[in-house]
Amino acid sequence: MKRKWLKGMALTLMALAVAFGSVSSAGAASKLSGRIVVNGSSALLPLTLQAANEFKKLNPKVRISASAAGSITGPQSVRKGIADIGAVDWDATKDVPGFKKFDGQVAHKVAVIPFAAVINSGVGVNNLTTAQLQGIFSGKITNWKDVGGSDADIIVVNRAFGSGTRVNFQMKALAGKDFMTKGSNYKEVKSSGDMKTAIETTPNAIGYIDLVYVTSKMKAVKINNVAATEANVINGSYKVWGYGYYMTKGQPTGATKAFIEYVQSKKFQTGSLKKLKFIPISAMK
Amino acid sequence: MIDIPTSGKASASSELGRSLEASSGRIFSRKARLSFYNRTFRIVCIASAVFVCVILFSILFLMGRTGVLTFETVSVKDFFFSTEWVPENDQYGAFIFIFGTFALTLLTMVISVPLSVIIAVFLSEMTPGWLKTALRPILDLLVGIPSVVYGFLGLTVLIPMLRTVTGTNMGDGILAAAIVLTIMVLPTISRITDDSIVAVPRKYRDASYALGSTRFQTIVKVVLPAARSGIMYAVILGMARAIGETMAVVMVIGNTPQLADALFKPTSVLTSNIVMQIANVPFDSTWNYALYLMGFILLIISLLMIVIVRLLQGRGVKA
């Protein structure tokens, strides 16, 4: 008796699923519908949320849910099938320091994110070369006087392993050289917000952060005599920046494809994206 | 409706008996319905209790099962006794974090227990009534402040203060974490201690005073020993809270995997290391399993503490 009832229920459900499936695929030509799950980088989350809001206004039948737990969770969620789009701060189809590439995924550039090496505003240093940055972050240079500052110990603040900001900074500013891992003047923080607080409140501290987070209470140093500004990123003289990517399992289809295209569209790139202080991908050659 | 006549208790119960027997015109008699309700309620209660136990044990089981996978690639000796935590190079020594957790908890208790007991004695023995009614709710409110607020205050107020007072470069380390945790567990420990001191019968104090003791002698030699089991209970509850605390600790401890052999040295404990890394770890990796195992160890420590609380409650001075 119970068996029969269950079977009937299952059949009804299947029928319903088939019906809805056909409806959505038939309706795709005229009006998009479906559900998009975005997970991954917290740096890209504001951009994703803004884009989702605008996209939902244009396509009311599409539901988008976005969350962020860190760059590496993006492509991982896509591989596990938890998310349709994995937001990540590096090209996860290639090997980067510490992380293997993700096979079978396609990377879509969605934004340009500039990063800055930042120091506490009390430090009297304005410019650092790549070699000096490498020395400081690997723990070989431990005093500010060695790089032209006053006689004070350098306090190095680093992001935890797996942070997209950390991967980009290591690749672009340190030319791939390793970070130090311990020491009495070394600490790690969990997020960009914690980095900001740590640099602002710790005398003689150095760290790195997304350019948009730089406040008046900290100083973005010039790297190899080039100031960290959006203009210098666009004209190609400031090298410490990275693309933000949306990863998908294979080529995207349906609503997911339309959403990524919307984020890459000129309207969004030069409008809301710029307002959020990202740089449009079209600005880079 | 049960109609209780005013004539007396005996007739009331006989009336109730008759009303149970009497059919009220429904399909089931009142007696049958009542016993049905009773039995259903009993089953619901038992089911809820079993449900909680099932949840607890499945959490334990899942954490343990995932954690044990660590030992496929890491030896037990390495995990518990190595101080090399470099997951990027497949080195998973958790000794630093286990040691750090115990060191931090111990330091917290060393600072917070004497303070809390003094606060509790003041509250229960010396404060006038109007001040008691003002102070107790304030302490209760302190328990409810989110730990991230304590952590942020530690990061922005306490650490710069420690830096200027001691002249160290950073200020991050187990001392900063212990001070933040002390502030967090003070209300818990002092309120429970307060309650257990209040529960000490008045006759003990009277007897002590009658023998000519001073107030200090009475409190130290009579009241506190009599309330000992309650105080131990408070201390262990405070310890359990200190061990499991994450958000506040992660903001002030520095998060560097090195042994906490100095008060001002950035270090890491079980909770802070888990929360720093869990988001950035590949799903099915030894690294992930090792973090689960560390969580499992934390769970085991808290369970042990609960067992100790039960044992202490069993003993102790009974009034």
Side-chain angles (χ1 to χ4, degrees):
Chain A
M1 184 66 194
K2 210 169 188 181
R3 273 267 174 80
K4 218 170 189 180
W5 181 78
L6 266 176
K7 211 172 173 184
M9 188 83 173
L11 275 175
T12 323
L13 274 176
M14 272 161 75
L16 272 174
V18 168
F20 271 106
S22 63
V23 164
S24 64
S25 59
S30 55
K31 208 147 198 197
L32 279 167
S33 67
R35 184 177 156 81
I36 309 172
V37 178
V38 189
N39 196 358
S41 158
S42 52
L44 287 170
L45 186 66
L47 183 150
T48 308
L49 289 176
Q50 178 63 30
N53 265 338
E54 294 173 17
F55 190 73
K56 270 187 271 191
K57 273 190 200 118
L58 296 172
N59 304 281
K61 278 189 173 170
V62 178
R63 288 191 299 147
I64 303 176
S65 56
S67 63
S71 272
I72 188 64
T73 50
Q76 276 181 6
S77 307
V78 170
R79 184 162 67 193
K80 281 216 152 185
I82 303 165
D84 305 294
I85 295 176
V88 55
D89 295 358
W90 67 83
D91 185 350
T93 56
K94 299 190 182 94
D95 287 336
V96 296
F99 294 103
K100 294 230 152 49
K101 63 179 177 184
F102 287 81
D103 286 324
Q105 293 194 14
V106 182
H108 310 268
K109 289 175 189 172
V110 291
V112 172
I113 316 168
F115 303 99
V118 286
I119 53 179
N120 184 274
S121 45
V123 179
V125 172
N126 293 312
N127 176 56
L128 290 168
T129 63
T130 303
Q132 283 171 336
L133 281 173
Q134 286 174 340
I136 290 171
F137 280 99
S138 64
K140 289 194 184 69
I141 300 174
T142 56
N143 198 305
W144 281 113
K145 71 172 190 258
D146 297 334
V147 291
S150 51
D151 184 6
D153 286 340
I154 299 176
I155 289 166
V156 177
V157 187
N158 200 359
R159 291 285 301 277
F161 186 84
S163 143
T165 310
R166 173 171 160 146
V167 168
N168 273 297
F169 191 77
Q170 190 177 2
M171 287 195 301
K172 308 283 168 51
L174 306 182
K177 204 158 190 296
D178 281 339
F179 286 106
M180 65 206 278
T181 54
K182 48 185 72 169
S184 55
N185 287 330
Y186 171 82
K187 74 173 201 170
E188 290 183 11
V189 292
K190 203 157 74 72
S191 65
S192 297
D194 290 345
M195 175 67 89
K196 178 169 139 315
T197 319
I199 298 295
E200 282 175 357
T201 59
T202 314
N204 301 312
I206 184 168
Y208 51 86
I209 203 164
D210 300 23
L211 191 58
V212 297
Y213 277 99
V214 175
T215 63
S216 56
K217 286 188 215 154
M218 57 172 86
K219 200 156 61 172
V221 288
K222 291 179 183 172
I223 296 178
N224 299 324
N225 279 314
V226 183
T229 61
E230 281 181 42
N232 283 343
V233 172
I234 293 169
N235 70 28
S237 52
Y238 186 77
K239 306 287 184 199
V240 189
W241 54 272
Y243 283 114
Y245 291 90
Y246 277 176
M247 307 295 298
T248 53
K249 201 178 237 171
Q251 287 298 336
T253 54
T256 309
K257 180 166 186 267
F259 178 64
I260 294 175
E261 274 165 4
Y262 179 78
V263 174
Q264 291 172 330
S265 72
K266 196 163 186 207
K267 175 173 167 278
F268 184 77
Q269 290 275 328
T270 53
S272 308
L273 182 131
K274 250 186 150 171
K275 269 189 217 126
L276 291 166
K277 294 196 182 170
F278 291 97
I279 299 175
I281 40 175
S282 57
M284 312 304 301
K285 267 120 236 162
Chain B
M1 277 297 263
I2 302 168
D3 242 328
I4 300 174
T6 47
S7 53
K9 226 178 179 178
S11 74
S13 67
S14 69
E15 191 74 10
L16 186 68
R18 226 178 304 139
S19 84
L20 278 174
E21 298 289 333
S23 145
S24 54
R26 299 199 203 171
I27 306 165
F28 298 110
S29 70
R30 185 178 167 76
K31 191 179 179 184
R33 272 187 291 128
L34 277 182
S35 78
F36 172 72
Y37 290 151
N38 283 342
R39 259 186 294 134
T40 316
F41 186 61
R42 201 179 133 88
I43 291 167
V44 168
C45 289
I46 293 174
S48 307
V50 169
F51 182 61
V52 171
C53 293
V54 166
I55 287 182
L56 176 68
F57 282 107
S58 44
I59 290 175
L60 262 178
F61 175 72
L62 285 173
M63 299 268 306
R65 199 189 60 174
T66 317
V68 162
L69 293 174
T70 314
F71 297 127
E72 282 181 358
T73 43
V74 185
S75 74
V76 177
K77 190 172 140 268
D78 273 356
F79 184 82
F80 285 102
F81 298 106
S82 159
T83 57
E84 287 303 314
W85 176 266
V86 194
E88 300 96 299
N89 304 335
D90 288 322
Q91 285 175 297
Y92 302 94
F95 180 76
I96 296 163
F97 310 121
I98 298 169
F99 175 81
T101 295
F102 280 107
L104 175 59
T105 311
L106 196 73
L107 191 61
T108 307
M109 289 299 120
V110 166
I111 307 173
S112 66
V113 170
L115 269 176
S116 309
V117 172
I118 291 170
I119 291 174
V121 166
F122 172 72
L123 254 182
S124 53
E125 299 286 302
M126 300 170 190
T127 326
W130 62 271
L131 195 55
K132 271 185 205 173
T133 49
L135 280 179
R136 286 194 175 133
I138 289 176
L139 280 177
D140 290 343
L141 273 178
L142 278 176
V143 180
I145 294 179
S147 57
V148 66
V149 173
Y150 285 110
F152 191 71
L153 287 176
L155 183 62
T156 53
V157 179
L158 175 72
I159 285 188
M161 223 160 72
L162 281 176
R163 223 179 271 140
T164 42
V165 169
T166 62
T168 49
N169 277 328
M170 297 185 67
D172 299 63
I174 54 169
L175 184 65
I179 293 173
V180 168
L181 283 182
T182 297
I183 297 167
M184 287 185 64
V185 300
L186 262 185
T188 311
I189 303 182
S190 55
R191 279 294 279 124
I192 297 172
T193 306
D194 174 28
D195 284 345
S196 61
I197 291 177
V198 168
V200 173
R202 202 185 151 73
K203 59 187 179 193
Y204 287 20
R205 295 181 182 83
D206 288 345
S208 171
Y209 286 131
L211 288 170
S213 312
T214 61
R215 192 189 225 181
F216 178 77
Q217 285 169 329
T218 306
I219 289 170
V220 174
K221 297 259 166 81
V222 178
V223 176
L224 287 183
R228 205 193 61 197
S229 73
I231 296 174
M232 287 305 290
Y233 181 60
V235 168
I236 286 172
L237 270 185
M239 264 172 95
R241 185 159 188 216
I243 281 189
E245 178 47 42
T246 311
M247 279 317 292
V249 170
V250 82
M251 292 171 96
V252 296
I253 201 156
N255 307 308
T256 309
Q258 55 192 355
L259 206 61
D261 52 5
L263 288 180
F264 293 102
K265 186 175 177 187
T267 178
S268 222
V269 294
L270 287 169
T271 49
S272 70
N273 193 57
I274 293 173
V275 77
M276 283 287 288
Q277 306 200 322
I278 197 80
N280 295 322
V281 165
F283 286 143
D284 290 311
S285 63
T286 313
W287 192 350
N288 197 9
Y289 302 148
L291 292 179
Y292 268 91
L293 189 62
M294 285 163 61
F296 185 65
I297 292 170
L298 264 177
L299 254 177
I300 295 292
I301 295 174
S302 332
L303 274 183
L304 276 180
M305 300 213 141
I306 291 165
V307 170
I308 294 170
V309 170
R310 290 280 152 221
L311 288 180
L312 281 172
Q313 269 185 329
R315 293 192 283 136
V317 182
K318 284 272 167 350

